[in-house]
Amino acid sequence: MLQQAFDNMEQDCQQVFRTTLSALAEPLLPLTLPCLPAALPGLKPATSALLYTLIDQDVTLWAPALPAATLASLRFHCALRLADTPEQADFILLPAGSSLPPLSSLRAGSPEYPDRSTTILLEVEDFTPQQVEASGPGFASPRRFGATGLPPAFWTQWQANHARFPLGVDVLLISATQLAGLPRSTVVQEG
Amino acid sequence: METTTRQHWLSLLAHSPASRLAELLQQHLPPAGDISWLRRAQTGLVMLQGRSGGSGSRFNLGEISVTRASCQIAGWLGHGWVRGSDDEHAELIAQADALLQNPQCYPPLQAQLLQPLQQELAARREQSARAAAASKVEFFTMVRGE
Amino acid sequence: MYVAVKGGETAIARSWDLLAAARRGDSALAELSLGQIRQQLRLAVARVMQEGSLYDEELAALALKQAAGDTVEAVFLLRAFRTTLPRFASSKPLDTAAMRVRRRVSGTFKDVPGGQILGPTADYTQRLLDFSLGDNSDVPPCALADSGVPQPLPSVLEVLAAEGLIEAEQPLPGDPEPADLTRQPLMFPADRATRLQNLARADEGWLLGLAYSTQRGYAESHPFAGEIRMGEVSVSVCPEELGFDIDIGEITLTECQMINQFAGSKTAPPQFTRGYGLSFGEAERKAMAMALVDRSLRAEELGEAAHAPAQQQEFVLYHSDNVEASGFVQHLKLPHYVDFQAELSLIRTLRAQATSSAVQEANHD
C-alpha cells in the first residue's frame, strides 16, 4: 500500500536538505530534522525523510531487502531506481542491524571528479558522546562523538576511508529523529 | 475496468479546460474530509522525446512542465497528470479518476462529465480542422492559346 | 593576485529599482497581462520556450515580461527556473505523423496527399505596416470548410520513400535511450541525437546564419523543403504508478523535413537524404534552419567533404547556446581591474624599452 510522504513535499524536502548540508558542514554534531514524515515500513522516520529528500530518478540506491510497501512508496514519491550491487550505487541504505559492505569496495570518486562517490545512509540506535574524538574541517576544536548500534569495526574502516581523502565515501548517521554527517574529511581517533 | 477506458478518460480530462472540469465535477465530489491526498499537486518536468525525421532514432527535444497529484476516495486510488503548472487541474483529474473507477459513480459521471467534455473537445478540434482546411490551396491550370 | 573589493551594495539596490521602473514604463498606461503576452505575442513566447528548452507558455510569458521583451534574457530566466523543478519522466516519442495539422506546405510537389494547407502564415502578406493595428484591430471571422483537414495527414516524404528514392529513417537497433545534454556535457564527436537536442535549443539567429551559409556555398547543399507541418501533438507519458501510457495534454509543434540531393557513396546508392527540424510552437524559420544545419552536420557520416563552418560540429554546437554565449561575452563587464593593471604595466614597460632603444639607435647614428 502506498504511503503518504511529507505534508508539503517541496518545502519539507528543502528544509531537510538544508539540515543535511549543515550536518556535513559541522560533522558529527547531531541535528534534529525540522520535519518528519510517517516512517516507511522497516525504516526510521528520519531515514524516510532523508530518502524522500535525496532520492530521485537520476540516482541509484542499493539496500538490503526492504519491505515491498517501502519500495512501492519510494518508487511512487521519488521514482526510486535500485542498483544491483553496492559497488554501483550512488546511495547505500543500511537499516539498523545491516552489515556494512567493505568501504574500500565502494565508489570513491576519481581525482578529477571526487564527487562521483557513494553516500551511505546508516541507521544507528542513538548518539552518545563517548566513542571517538573527531577533528578536521568543520571542527573549531576536537569533539567527542559516538553512536550505539554501529556495525562492528566501523571506526577502523572509517580511518582507512579517511586515508584516501580527497577520495572516499561520505556517511550520514541517522537515529529516529536526528542526523549526524560524517564526510570523508573527518579525522577520527578511537578511545 | 479496462485500461483503455481509463486511458481514455485521463486523456480527455487532461485535454479539457480546468475551469470546465471544475464546473462539471463539482456536484460529484465528496466532502473534502473524505478525500485522502497521497500526493498533493506537485509540478515538475517531463523530457519530451522526438524522433529524427519523425520516425528514426529518438532525441531529446526539450522539457515540458507537468503537474501531478494522487488521492484516495472510498478506497479508490486516483492519479492526475496534466501538462502545465495548474495545481487545481491535476487535483481535479486525480479526484475524477478515483471516482470514475468506482462502479457506482461511473454511470452518472460518464453522462454528466465525460460525455459533455468529449463533445466539447471534438467540437473544438473540428472547428480548428475546418478553419485550417479552408486555407487549402485549390490549384487550377491556366490554359493558354487555342 | 586577487584583491577583494567590497562595496556597491547600495548602488546595486538602486539599479534594481531603476530596472523595475524602466520595465514598467509610464504608469499612466495599463500594465501588460501575461494572458495578453501569451495571446498576442505568441511567437515571442514560442521562441523563449524553444531556446529556454521548456514548453510552458505561462512561464515564458512571465519571463518575457520580466525581461522587458529581451528574448535572450527571458531564455536565461526560463533556463534558471527549470533547474528548480524535479524531472518526473521522459515522454513517449512525439508522434508528429498524428499531428492535428493547421498548416502543411511542401516545396517539392504541387499535389500532395491532403493538399497544401496555408494556415496562419505571414508568407502572403505584403509586409506593409498596418497602421490600423495602432489603435485596435477588428479581425474578420475565419471561414470554415465543410470538412476538416484529414487526420492523420499523410506525409509528403512517403511518396519518395515508397519508391526508395529517399534514405529510410528508422530507429537504431534496440531504439537506444538518447543522450541528454541537460545531464551529460557535450562531447565530440556528438551523435545525431545530441546534435538535434543542441540545435532544438540553439539560438535562432545563430542557426539562421549558419543555414544561410550552407545555401550560399559554404557546404555542398542543395536543399528542398520536402514538408513543413505545424499543429497540435499529444504528449504521452507512462507514470510509474499507472503502468500504462496516458496523454497529459497537447502542444504546438513545427516540423520541417528537408530533402537534399546525394550523389551516393561506396555503400549507398544515389538518393535523397534528410535534414530534420522540430520546434516548439509556430516556428517555421527555426525548424527550417535547424533542418538545414542538421543536414550539413551529417557531412562526415555521409562521406562528404566537411570544410564549411556549418559542417563542423565543434564550431556549430559549442557556439549555439545563447545563455552560454551571452554570459561569456557579457562577463567582460565585470571587474578585471587586476588583470588590466598587469597588462597596463606590461605595455608601459614595452613602450619604455622601445623608446630607450630608439634613443640609443639615434645616438648611434
Side-chain angles (χ1 to χ4, degrees), chain C residues 140-173:
Chain C
C142 295
L144 295 181
D146 292 336
S147 57
V149 173
Q151 214 255 316
L153 186 64
S155 153
V156 174
L157 270 62
E158 277 168 23
V159 180
L160 292 170
E163 276 191 74
L165 293 175
I166 191 163
E167 62 176 336
E169 193 67 274
Q170 275 162 352
L172 292 169

Side-chain angles (χ1 to χ4, degrees), chain C residues 278-295:
Chain C
L278 187 62
S279 288
F280 290 162
E282 293 169 53
E284 208 157 279
R285 189 171 49 229
K286 165 82 184 242
M288 292 178 78
M290 175 175 168
L292 289 173
V293 177
D294 170 45
R295 176 59 184 81

Side-chain angles (χ1 to χ4, degrees), chain B residues 45 47 55 58 63 65 130, chain C residues 55-56 82 88 91 145 175:
Chain B
L45 302 169
M47 176 54 92
S55 56
R58 291 184 286 167
E63 286 164 316
S65 56
R130 285 174 59 197
Chain C
Y55 198 112
D56 187 312
R82 72 157 281 286
F88 293 157
S91 77
D175 198 13

Side-chain angles (χ1 to χ4, degrees), chain A residues 32-168:
Chain A
T32 301
L33 288 183
C35 39
L36 290 172
L40 288 160
L43 298 175
K44 296 177 190 296
T47 314
S48 310
L50 283 166
L51 288 169
Y52 290 140
T53 302
L54 297 174
I55 301 302
D56 65 25
Q57 65 152 21
D58 291 328
V59 298
T60 58
L61 177 80
W62 185 86
L66 290 173
T70 299
L71 290 174
S73 290
L74 288 172
R75 269 199 279 273
F76 176 69
H77 290 295
C78 318
L80 170 72
R81 290 189 300 139
L82 288 173
D84 294 331
T85 65
E87 291 76 25
Q88 295 166 342
D90 298 306
F91 288 92
I92 291 178
L93 168 62
L94 298 175
S98 314
S99 57
L100 184 71
L103 294 187
S104 58
S105 69
L106 303 177
R107 278 171 45 196
S110 63
E112 296 81 14
Y113 298 99
D115 55 307
R116 293 183 185 173
S117 58
T118 296
T119 301
I120 301 177
L121 309 181
L122 177 56
E123 285 194 342
V124 298
E125 278 161 33
D126 213 345
F127 298 116
T128 133
Q130 294 314 330
Q131 281 169 0
V132 294
E133 185 168 271
S135 59
F139 292 83
S141 57
R143 194 161 48 227
R144 295 203 57 79
F145 177 81
T148 52
L150 279 176
F154 176 77
W155 294 117
T156 315
Q157 284 219 41
W158 180 259
Q159 281 165 350
N161 181 61
H162 170 70
R164 290 198 286 173
F165 186 85
L167 307 189

